[in-house]
């Protein structure tokens, strides 16, 4: 975590504007996000309810079946991007989602090590693409060709869309100081250094 306390505090249930209450009422009720309390990311972003509504539209594309990457592969890109961005909140949320989508605990650990950590060629291409997008905001010709040898062109596009979305999410989380939700534990590799 970059910050030990929030810069922008999550909204409580009291004192929300009607627009904030409306956007928050639609969250935390199923799908990829388990039913339960509204997550701190959304309570924080609700300070700008119009931005949160727009954010949710694109985010829902990334986490839906309209994104042609299979869920496991999508989570590889999200987790590697979150790790590279040093986003403890993002990593923590998506470790749970990644496990539900078919990643193993060993794969979660190996995601930190990168594309040379014993991955299949297809998985290594996804991780390498996330690495290149993080470092240079560009996928090299060799990595693009590797992606296309395992995935459709639309799926390769969705790799870029997914990494871009979760780079933005990580910037939001890190800068606003969004703290973990109750009951979550920060991975020691993502503690502030």
């Amino acid at each position: 975590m970059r910050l030990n306390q929030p810069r922008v505090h999550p909204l409580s249930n009291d004192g929300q504007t009607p627009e904030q209450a409306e956007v928050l009422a639609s969250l935390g009720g199923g799908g990829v996000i388990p039913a339960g309390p509204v997550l701190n990311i959304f309570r924080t972003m609700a300070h700008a309810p119009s931005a949160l509504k727009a954010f949710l539209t694109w985010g829902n594309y990334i986490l839906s079946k309209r994104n042609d990457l299979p869920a496991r592969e999508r989570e590889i890109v999200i987790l590697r991007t979150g790790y590279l961005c040093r986003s403890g909140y993002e990593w923590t949320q998506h470790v749970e989602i990644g496990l539900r989508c078919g990643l193993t605990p060993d794969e979660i650990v190996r995601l930190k090590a990168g594309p040379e950590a014993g991955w299949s060629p297809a998985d290594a291409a996804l991780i390498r693409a996330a690495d290149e997008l993080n470092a240079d905001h560009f996928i090299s010709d060799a990595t693009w060709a590797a992606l296309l040898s395992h995935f459709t062109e639309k799926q390769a596009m969705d790799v870029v869309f997914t990494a871009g979305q979760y780079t933005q999410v990580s910037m939001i989380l890190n800068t606003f100081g969004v703290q973990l939700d109750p009951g979550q534990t920060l991975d020691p590799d993502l503690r502030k250094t």
Side-chain angles (χ1 to χ4, degrees), residues 134-168:
N134 180 268
D136 190 35
H137 311 286
F138 178 76
I139 295 178
S140 68
D141 288 343
T143 300
W144 188 254
L147 285 173
L148 293 180
S149 70
H150 301 285
F151 302 100
T152 68
E153 183 177 73
K154 169 65 167 56
Q155 288 172 319
M157 292 173 68
D158 281 333
V159 168
V160 178
F161 297 152
T162 301
Q165 164 69 1
Y166 280 90
T167 298
Q168 176 189 18

Side-chain angles (χ1 to χ4, degrees), residues 1 6 16 18 33 54-55 75-76 78 96 101 110 114 146 151 153-154 156 181 190:
M1 299 287 288
Q16 296 174 9
I33 300 167
F55 171 88
E75 291 303 315
I76 287 172
I78 292 171
E96 293 176 25
C101 291
R110 285 189 294 124
F151 302 100
E153 183 177 73
K154 169 65 167 56
D181 291 290
L190 290 167

Side-chain angles (χ1 to χ4, degrees), residues 76-88:
I76 287 172
V77 174
I78 292 171
L79 282 163
R80 184 63 179 168
T81 300
Y83 185 75
L84 293 171
C85 292
R86 311 293 301 156
S87 180

